[in-house]
Structure formats: C-alpha cells, structure tokens
Amino acid sequence: DVKVTQSSRYLVKRTGEKVFLECVQDMDHENMFWYRQDPGLGLRLIYFSYDVKMKEKGDIPEGYSVSREKKERFSLILESASTNQTSMYLCASSLPEPWLYTDTQYFGPGTRLTVL
Amino acid sequence: AQKITQTQPGMFVQEKEAVTLDCTYDTSDQSYGLFWYKQPSSGEMIFLIYQGSYDEQNATEGRYSLNFQKARKSANLVISASQLGDSAMYFCGANSGGSNYKLTFGKGTLLTVNP
C-alpha cells in the first residue's frame, strides 16, 4: 500500500514565523503535490514536483515555496506565516502512468495549521 | 483547463439505500481521467474510483460505481447499500494528458447516512 505521511496533524504558529510542513512517501513516486483545503473552496493546488529539485507552481503559490532535495520528501515552506494561511494542508504523491491522465494521487492525513 | 462542478453541497441517505453524487466537468481535452475521493472527518483523502475518458465501460469498485456519460460530461458516483461509515465529504476530480499533472477538484458533497 502507498504510504504518505505528514510531519504533524496539528500545528499552531504565530504570524511572521517560518513554517515547514514535511511530507514523505514510501512508494518511490516521481510526482508530489501540496494542496490547501478551505471550507467552500475545495482543494487548491499550491505547488507540485515531478522530480527531485523540479517544481511547478499550482493555482495559489503566493506566500509559499517548496523544496524537494530527495525523491521521497517534499517540503512546503511558509516564509512568513500569515493568518490567511490558516488552513488544512494536504500532501499527495503519484506514480506517472504511461498515459498521464491515468495518474492516481494518494494523499497523506493532512496538517491543520493555525496561524495566530 | 478543467472545471469540476458538484452541485450538491449536502446529501442525506438512509442506511442500506443507494445514493448518487453528481459531478460534471468541463474540458476541451480529448484524454482525461476522472476520480472520486472520500474524506472522512479525520481528514485524509481516500481514493475510491477512477474512470478514463476512453473507457467504454463504467468503472466499478465494490459498492462504488461511476456513471460516466461522456456526451453530457458527467461522472456521477453511485454508492450502493449505504453504510454509516460512508458519511463523509466526497470530492470529484479530473486531470488531463500533457505535461501538467494537475488534478482539479470540485468543492465536494457532504454525505450523511442515517440509521
């Protein structure tokens, strides 16, 4: 079974702090993703990575950066946390299929981040 | 770009009955995939079922089936014999071929199964 883990289930930080959210997958997947989920807005893609050191912006990258130094690990960084970044953050990974549209993404348990 | 619409913010169903959760999508791509995920109150997103745009038969996985109507651009999820544990948020998603691996989601439907 695919296992995607996230470093924390719940996190409370203060405005202006630098925040690191870590995600690790154990299935040797090339692709990794960070989403945020807000009530009424569904899931929105922040960043994704299709290889080590490779990244692409998603729909809402502002205020975030990412790092992928190893294949199994994808980090989301909030350089200076703000209250509007209070949200549920979900990490996912997928193995590219021969036909790209058949990729199935597998999700971690999520991190509920509160910025005070 | 994909756009996913789930028009039912909430649905109720009696235990053991079947329920259909609606999903329509809007894409100009010829090749795409359609997905359904379940999110219980604990927060994790659980993959349920996948349908490819070229698949002629509707996908089924146990009690889940995907009613795929390509001309209508709809991909409704049917859950048969509902169980109390099916109470959760359900998200429809789609991606498409090309260099963008992005999965676009609808806003979700909250399903409540009543005993």
Side-chain angles (χ1 to χ4, degrees), chain A residues 15 17 25 30 33 40 52 70 81 84 110:
Chain A
T15 302
E17 280 192 76
Q25 50 94 5
E30 272 80 9
F33 308 81
V52 175
K70 293 185 177 181
N84 62 13

Side-chain angles (χ1 to χ4, degrees), chain B residues 8 10-22 36 63-67 76-83 86-88 90 109-113:
Chain B
Q8 307 152 316
M11 288 283 286
F12 293 88
V13 65
Q14 287 297 123
E15 195 178 5
K16 300 181 185 177
E17 292 185 353
V19 62
T20 298
L21 306 184
D22 294 341
W36 278 93
R63 294 185 299 109
Y64 305 107
S65 61
L66 199 153
N67 184 359
N76 298 339
L77 177 71
V78 181
I79 305 174
S80 62
S82 297
Q83 302 172 357
D86 294 334
S87 293
Y90 289 81
T109 296
L110 179 62
L111 177 66
T112 303
V113 181

Side-chain angles (χ1 to χ4, degrees), chain B residues 32-98:
Chain B
Y32 51 89
L34 299 158
F35 301 80
W36 278 93
Y37 286 82
K38 171 184 177 182
Q39 187 179 43
S41 57
S42 54
E44 75 273 27
M45 292 277 283
I46 302 166
F47 166 69
L48 294 178
I49 195 166
Y50 161 82
Q51 176 89 40
S53 58
Y54 290 113
D55 294 339
E56 294 186 352
Q57 291 199 334
N58 287 341
T60 60
E61 289 286 348
R63 294 185 299 109
Y64 305 107
S65 61
L66 199 153
N67 184 359
F68 180 45
Q69 298 189 42
K70 194 170 183 177
R72 291 185 169 187
K73 294 190 175 180
S74 75
N76 298 339
L77 177 71
V78 181
I79 305 174
S80 62
S82 297
Q83 302 172 357
L84 296 177
D86 294 334
S87 293
M89 281 289 287
Y90 289 81
F91 290 94
C92 177
N95 64 6
S96 59

Side-chain angles (χ1 to χ4, degrees), chain A residues 9 31 33 35 37 40-43 45 48 50 59 88 90 96 100-109 112, chain B residues 31-33 35 37 39 41-45 47 50 54 91 95-103 105-107:
Chain A
R9 290 301 304 270
N31 300 334
F33 308 81
Y35 295 88
Q37 182 179 19
L41 297 178
L43 278 81
L45 182 66
F48 68 99
Y50 49 91
D59 296 319
M88 172 73 146
L90 290 156
L100 292 174
Y101 61 90
T102 64
D103 283 7
T104 296
Q105 293 184 23
Y106 296 92
F107 284 80
R112 293 189 185 274
Chain B
S31 303
Y32 51 89
F35 301 80
Y37 286 82
Q39 187 179 43
S41 57
S42 54
E44 75 273 27
M45 292 277 283
F47 166 69
Y50 161 82
Y54 290 113
F91 290 94
N95 64 6
S96 59
S99 60
N100 189 338
Y101 308 97
K102 191 168 71 172
L103 188 62
F105 288 95
K107 294 184 178 179

